[in-house]
Amino acid sequence: MCGIIARVGNGDSVDTLLTGLENLEYRGYDSAGVAVQNGHGIKIHKQSGRVEDLATDLRERQPKGNVGIGHTRWSTHGPPTDENAHPHSTSTTNVAVVHNGVIENYDTLREELQAKGREFTSDTDTEVIPHLMEEYLEETGDSETAFRKAVEELEGSYAVAALVDDEDVVYAARQGSPLVLGQDEEAGEYFLASDVPAFLEYTDEVAFLEDGDVVIARPDDLTVTDLEGNVVEREIERVDWDPEETGKGRYDHFMLKEIDTQPTALSNTIDGRIDPVEGTVDLEDFPDGIFEDVREVQLVACGTSYHAALYGAQSLKQAGVRAEVHRANEYELSSGPIDEQTLVIAVTQSGETADTLGALRRAQDKGASTVTVTNVVGSTAAREADEALFIRAGPEIGVAATKTFSSQAVALSLLAHRLTEDVPDADTRDDVTEYLSALHELPDGISEILDRHKAEELSRKYRDSDAYFFIGRGMANSVAKEGALKFKEITYEHAEGFASGELKHGPLALVTQDTPVFAIFTGDEEQDKKTRKNAEEAQARGAPLVAVAPEGHEAASIADEHLVVPDTHPVWAGLLANVQLQLVSYYAADQLSRPIDKPRNLAKSVTVE
Ligand code: F6R
């Protein structure tokens, strides 16, 4: 967790660091800090609270420095206090360090350093790094060597950047946590950050660093080496993300912007991959026959990505392919036998979720073939899986995943389609033309909802409820779960998602006239009949019923409210229903004045297990 940034160049770094931290705040937002080097020692400013508080403070003090590092924190070791905020240093302020990751052997290192008389002022694992560096600096007199030696002592995961007093240099290294390099060679400016949006306003030339890489960046000069000091080449790529995508634009919140840009995101997901007229799906990197040895598919994911995996797995199950969806953090216990005929699909927006990477690595150790479905090119999952299918949704900054759920569910459904073409005895769809045509029109269906929804009014009506329940069957069950996750995550209200038929096995005890039930109908007559019965059972106990259903659906006639799902194939109806639910969550949270883009205690990219 946490976001780090470093910048070296000719000219002041402070504004660049602050912009970078604002763009990285989705990774953690309980404290923030920067350190700059300006020829008169290292100046550190850090405090608990948001980046904007730090920015206000810095505007008054106006520190300057052409070389700097910055950090925005999501606490793992110690509460969000000024002392625990990064950058960390020593009593001499000879070095300053920012770090994302977890140093697993920090207890031992700390004890050893304390035995040498070193004093610690924070609860963090990170603080061992500046002390180690200073020890080695005193021993060797050479800061690059000191940095390498310090890093060699660390066990666990880290993306780390360091300044040394009186040197126009940033030292950085990565092991198990993301670190991206940005360069504007003409300006002699280099950036290191946890993610590309941190510096996208300044350059689109990036290199995704690898584990074991050490970077020595000076204005006009950059070297990347391995831990031993051998120079390594890292390919510079141009990212095609628009810097505007990393700003809020005319929106109050990234979440609403990201809900609103779903038609474009989804069009990008399917662009060039489907031909509704021919009835074909063409996924680059997945040629005919690639899955012919697969006998079982296991999908691993967390949170919203888990719900997208549940959605995608339905297509496989319906086609008779053995498919199981596992919470990545339980995979070690739940996976059952894995062998070379198992295909493991790691679904992860960020490509950096520690639980999901753990499951992916476990699958690889057991000999499974692996694919990741991810949004982030160059992410750890994209590099470690055998193959990657990119969802192409563009950067998602709001902590609550919205557009990426839709794009993941669609990308997974397309991957499922490709699998059924290869896996022996799988049934391929006999309605493929209708299925792909409806997918082709899905972005328009979302636009229709965005143009004429009544989410604001509806969330006001149910604003004082005790709890909110979401029910659905099959694909609509995964949408019910996702609807509830989104609702609780950003409103802090109690919300639960269930399979429709499960309500009567316990949760019904919670149902009262103050617990609206959102029932999701897809237009699949047989399934909808059952959901309607379960919805009526809740209604009979006084619950207000909100039908999220196609226009003219019979459920609308019994419901207190109807959120309309535009006409589509039943396979895609759940994704349209989900957009309605995203909007309800958003407006409910807005009316409660919640910090929608940065819900308490959460962060977008969870890089700890
Ligand atoms: C919820 C949310 C989280 C993530 C989860 C997995 O809105 O965003 O539940 O879905 O932390 O993250 P990724 O997809 O990056 O692996």
Side-chain angles (χ1 to χ4, degrees):
M1 206 72 65
C2 308
I4 70 168
I5 178 158
R7 183 263 180 191
V8 300
N10 305 303
D12 190 44
S13 289
V14 175
D15 280 342
T16 315
L17 294 175
L18 288 171
T19 307
L21 290 182
E22 272 159 19
N23 291 340
L24 287 175
E25 225 183 348
Y26 70 88
R27 301 178 66 88
Y29 34 83
D30 55 37
S31 45
V34 299
V36 285
Q37 169 72 265
N38 62 7
H40 304 284
I42 296 174
K43 299 280 177 269
I44 300 176
H45 300 266
K46 59 178 191 165
Q47 57 195 49
S48 61
R50 299 274 160 98
V51 173
E52 63 177 317
D53 304 329
L54 177 77
T56 310
D57 197 46
L58 287 183
R59 246 168 252 129
E60 278 166 24
R61 298 180 189 210
Q62 296 203 319
K64 293 260 177 277
N66 66 324
V67 176
I69 55 179
H71 189 271
T72 178
R73 179 168 186 249
W74 185 80
S75 315
T76 53
H77 294 79
T81 58
D82 292 355
E83 292 73 31
N84 289 337
H86 297 218
H88 285 284
S89 187
T90 63
S91 57
T92 63
T93 330
N94 259 347
V95 290
V97 170
V98 290
H99 161 232
N100 168 38
V102 175
I103 309 299
E104 280 160 11
N105 59 337
Y106 88 99
D107 263 348
T108 321
L109 293 171
R110 190 173 167 125
E111 275 166 29
E112 285 169 9
L113 288 158
Q114 279 169 331
K116 290 180 182 168
R118 296 207 152 260
E119 277 180 29
F120 282 72
T121 55
S122 80
D123 310 310
T124 65
D125 51 344
T126 305
E127 200 183 347
V128 298
I129 308 174
H131 285 288
L132 279 171
M133 269 186 80
E134 201 170 62
E135 282 284 317
Y136 285 118
L137 203 52
E138 283 165 13
E139 187 183 308
T140 65
D142 180 70
S143 45
E144 185 180 328
T145 311
F147 179 71
R148 283 182 199 287
K149 281 183 168 286
V151 162
E152 272 169 23
E153 297 239 10
L154 306 178
E155 286 168 19
S157 62
Y158 53 81
V160 62
L163 301 182
V164 177
D165 191 17
D166 267 345
E167 291 185 19
D168 266 7
V169 190
V170 167
Y171 298 102
R174 86 156 261 176
Q175 182 66 44
S177 295
L179 190 63
V180 193
L181 169 77
Q183 67 168 38
D184 179 348
E185 284 206 298
E186 225 168 272
E189 194 174 25
Y190 298 98
F191 307 88
L192 289 143
S194 303
D195 199 357
V196 176
F199 52 71
L200 199 55
E201 274 174 50
Y202 309 101
T203 184
D204 60 358
E205 288 188 16
V206 310
F208 296 96
L209 297 170
E210 299 197 1
D211 282 350
D213 283 357
V214 174
V215 179
I216 303 113
R218 300 182 167 83
D220 302 310
D221 184 46
L222 179 96
T223 313
V224 185
T225 72
D226 61 16
L227 265 180
E228 286 73 47
N230 305 306
V231 172
V232 293
E233 296 295 329
R234 293 288 168 245
E235 192 194 341
I236 298 287
E237 303 173 31
R238 245 177 226 285
V239 287
D240 58 5
W241 286 358
D242 180 345
E244 288 223 337
E245 286 187 79
T246 61
K248 277 207 279 263
R250 64 185 167 87
Y251 294 89
D252 289 339
H253 297 101
F254 280 110
M255 184 179 175
L256 189 58
K257 177 182 172 193
E258 286 155 4
I259 291 172
D260 256 19
T261 48
Q262 277 175 112
T264 312
L266 206 55
S267 299
N268 290 339
T269 307
I270 58 181
D271 188 33
R273 288 172 167 169
I274 62 168
D275 185 335
V277 179
E278 295 293 321
T280 52
V281 171
D282 179 10
L283 297 181
E284 68 278 28
D285 299 333
F286 299 94
D288 285 356
I290 186 170
F291 297 124
E292 64 193 8
D293 294 331
V294 173
R295 296 295 173 272
E296 182 184 350
V297 180
Q298 297 186 348
L299 297 100
V300 293
C302 301
T304 291
S305 295
Y306 174 78
H307 300 147
L310 287 175
Y311 202 100
Q314 286 284 327
S315 297
L316 287 171
K317 291 181 186 191
Q318 282 166 10
V321 177
R322 276 169 53 198
E324 295 291 337
V325 188
H326 298 267
R327 293 201 184 271
N329 34 50
E330 288 278 302
Y331 188 59
E332 189 184 343
L333 306 164
S334 69
S335 72
I338 309 169
D339 60 26
E340 57 287 347
Q341 293 190 320
T342 315
L343 173 70
V344 174
I345 304 177
V347 188
T348 164
Q349 184 284 130
S350 62
E352 301 296 347
T353 299
D355 289 336
T356 309
L357 292 176
L360 176 67
R361 289 169 188 152
R362 177 179 168 78
Q364 285 177 324
D365 286 350
K366 299 270 177 194
S369 49
T370 56
V371 172
T372 186
V373 173
T374 183
N375 196 26
V376 182
V377 176
S379 60
T380 306
R383 282 183 295 162
E384 293 193 7
D386 299 336
E387 301 293 343
L389 177 63
F390 295 104
I391 64 170
R392 306 179 188 153
E396 188 175 67
I397 311 290
V399 164
T402 50
K403 63 176 179 175
T404 55
F405 172 81
S406 306
S407 291
Q408 281 173 332
V410 165
L412 278 164
S413 303
L414 295 180
L415 186 59
H417 187 89
R418 273 294 299 105
L419 269 152
T420 57
E421 289 174 336
D422 281 2
V423 175
D425 302 327
D427 305 323
T428 47
R429 306 195 75 90
D430 46 21
D431 62 349
V432 66
T433 318
E434 293 92 315
Y435 169 80
L436 292 180
S437 301
L439 175 56
H440 184 67
E441 282 159 22
L442 202 57
D444 291 342
I446 297 178
S447 300
E448 214 178 304
I449 293 174
L450 296 171
D451 287 346
R452 54 183 188 109
H453 66 82
K454 55 170 182 178
E456 195 168 358
E457 181 193 324
L458 186 124
S459 49
R460 194 171 299 117
K461 177 171 174 183
Y462 294 121
R463 179 184 162 151
D464 295 322
S465 303
D466 290 345
Y468 302 79
F469 296 119
F470 299 77
I471 61 170
R473 286 177 65 79
M475 282 165 170
N477 176 18
S478 41
V479 172
K481 290 187 161 63
E482 174 57 12
L485 175 65
K486 214 88 309 172
F487 200 89
K488 71 178 87 161
E489 181 181 17
I490 61 166
T491 65
Y492 310 162
E493 297 292 311
H494 180 212
E496 297 296 338
F498 304 106
S500 312
E502 197 57 26
L503 205 58
K504 60 186 178 293
H505 295 291
L508 203 54
L510 294 172
V511 165
T512 68
Q513 60 189 13
D514 291 319
T515 57
V517 173
F518 291 77
I520 300 153
F521 298 90
T522 62
D524 178 323
E525 255 179 60
E526 210 179 310
Q527 307 308 326
D528 284 357
K529 212 155 76 191
K530 294 187 175 168
T531 295
R532 176 178 165 159
K533 214 170 140 290
N534 302 135
E536 282 173 332
E537 285 155 10
Q539 232 185 357
R541 271 86 188 165
L545 178 64
V546 182
V548 193
E551 190 120 42
H553 194 278
E554 46 138 24
S557 62
I558 58 153
D560 300 277
E561 293 289 344
H562 180 199
L563 297 178
V564 179
V565 171
D567 192 31
T568 186
H569 191 289
V571 165
W572 308 121
L575 296 184
L576 294 175
N578 186 56
V579 176
Q580 288 282 18
L581 297 181
Q582 290 172 347
L583 289 162
V584 170
S585 293
Y586 173 81
Y587 284 106
D590 196 37
Q591 280 154 32
L592 292 164
S593 303
R594 303 294 189 224
I596 293 180
D597 285 333
K598 294 168 192 143
R600 70 182 174 207
N601 306 337
L602 301 179
K604 188 148 190 78
S605 181
V606 188
T607 54
V608 289
E609 282 187 348

